[in-house]
Amino acid sequence: MSLEFYGPAPWEGQAKRYGPVDRVAVLSDVHANLPALRAVLAEPDVAAADLVVFNGDLTWGVDPDGAVATVKSLGRRAVCVRGNSERYVRQIATGAYTPANPRQEWVPARHGTGSLAFVGSFPFSVVVDVRGLGPVRFCHGSPRSDNEAVTPGTPAERFAEMTAGIEEDVLVTGHTHLQFDRFVGTRRSINPGSVGLPFHHDEPGLAYWALLGPDVQLRTTRYDVRESVAAIQAAGDPGQARIAEMLLKPPTPEEIIAEAEEAVLVD
């Protein structure tokens, strides 16, 4: 697929608004890693949060239907944002895009009809009024594209360009699987990190997320990564060797920042 900007669909209009609320748990880039997802959802602060925002790339992995069922069990507390993986699933399922490798064909095919409809309903972005932080915009890549990389190394000039069309001073993104919290000029740029496939310096078996309100807490949760690797192997994931390696020996943040900032648009 050629790299281009993939922003809100023409029919979406303004981002849906929620709140005010006291606490928001942010879980991004789950990639259908159910052991990690269940461990984070069992955290007391997540269970007590007013909303749980899933900031894109929920189902691109070994068990899409399981991930969807788990999120649906949260009822109205769950708010989902479309990632580039959800876009891929829709495009491949509808024939708008021909898979370029076996895994691109395999993952969408593991989505049941209900899961396809569910991920197809995700909006590009949402805004939540969080007490203590004010209006917070959530999007997977950037406010202008689901595949634009935002990292701790994103230059102020590009950050200003990508946020020129939004009013909120707090922006929460995903996509890069890097956890960070930084100020760029007058705006705050936050990434909760990845629940299912994080890039970090720590030992394997950690899921990354964030708790918003009244300030920002960057959090981690330990889980049994061996269970996730076994599930990938048992399912016959065509990318099992690469995914297992990333789970057990993650790329470093420095590597990802360098690659992402050079490419900017990463699908």
Side-chain angles (χ1 to χ4, degrees), residues 181-234:
D181 177 10
R182 68 189 287 240
F183 281 90
V184 187
T186 61
R187 282 197 163 102
R188 194 169 187 174
S189 176
I190 301 161
N191 189 318
S194 171
V195 170
L197 201 62
F199 302 146
H200 55 86
H201 286 298
D202 297 316
E203 293 183 359
L206 287 176
Y208 288 69
W209 55 284
L211 186 68
L212 308 187
D215 200 354
V216 177
Q217 297 180 43
L218 300 180
R219 305 283 288 272
T220 60
T221 297
R222 184 160 293 283
Y223 74 100
D224 188 354
V225 70
R226 296 169 299 177
E227 184 180 351
S228 300
V229 172
I232 293 168
Q233 294 170 338

Side-chain angles (χ1 to χ4, degrees), residues 1-195:
M1 180 177 290
S2 62
L3 291 180
E4 57 184 278
F5 285 97
Y6 293 95
W11 49 264
E12 287 195 68
Q14 296 295 316
K16 186 174 181 179
R17 306 184 74 91
Y18 297 82
V21 297
D22 291 319
R23 300 287 186 276
V24 177
V26 193
L27 284 60
S28 189
D29 298 277
V30 173
H31 286 280
N33 183 342
L34 288 193
L37 174 59
R38 289 167 177 159
V40 174
L41 291 179
E43 289 277 9
D45 283 338
V46 177
D50 299 293
L51 295 175
V52 182
V53 175
F54 293 89
N55 214 30
D57 285 11
L58 172 65
T59 66
W60 192 269
V62 68
D63 192 355
D65 287 350
V68 168
T70 302
V71 170
K72 283 185 173 180
S73 71
L74 300 176
R76 293 185 178 181
R77 293 177 61 231
V79 176
C80 296
V81 170
R82 180 173 74 248
N84 61 307
S85 290
E86 280 80 30
R87 168 168 53 82
Y88 264 125
V89 168
R90 292 190 309 166
Q91 290 174 325
I92 292 170
T94 60
Y97 170 67
T98 301
N101 57 60
R103 195 165 195 264
Q104 286 187 358
E105 183 175 4
W106 183 81
V107 173
R110 293 181 69 81
H111 289 67
T113 302
S115 295
L116 287 174
F118 185 65
V119 301
S121 70
F122 294 176
F124 178 81
S125 64
V126 298
V127 175
V128 181
D129 186 356
V130 183
R131 292 187 179 95
L133 291 172
V136 179
R137 181 168 293 261
F138 297 82
C139 54
H140 181 67
S142 78
R144 61 184 179 181
S145 184
D146 64 34
N147 64 349
E148 184 170 12
V150 181
T151 79
T154 297
E157 182 179 4
R158 180 161 71 86
F159 191 84
E161 291 174 356
M162 75 174 68
T163 57
I166 66 171
E167 298 178 353
E168 297 77 26
D169 288 330
V170 183
L171 174 67
V172 179
T173 59
H175 191 43
T176 60
H177 298 208
L178 299 172
Q179 188 182 73
F180 61 86
D181 177 10
R182 68 189 287 240
F183 281 90
V184 187
T186 61
R187 282 197 163 102
R188 194 169 187 174
S189 176
I190 301 161
N191 189 318
S194 171
V195 170

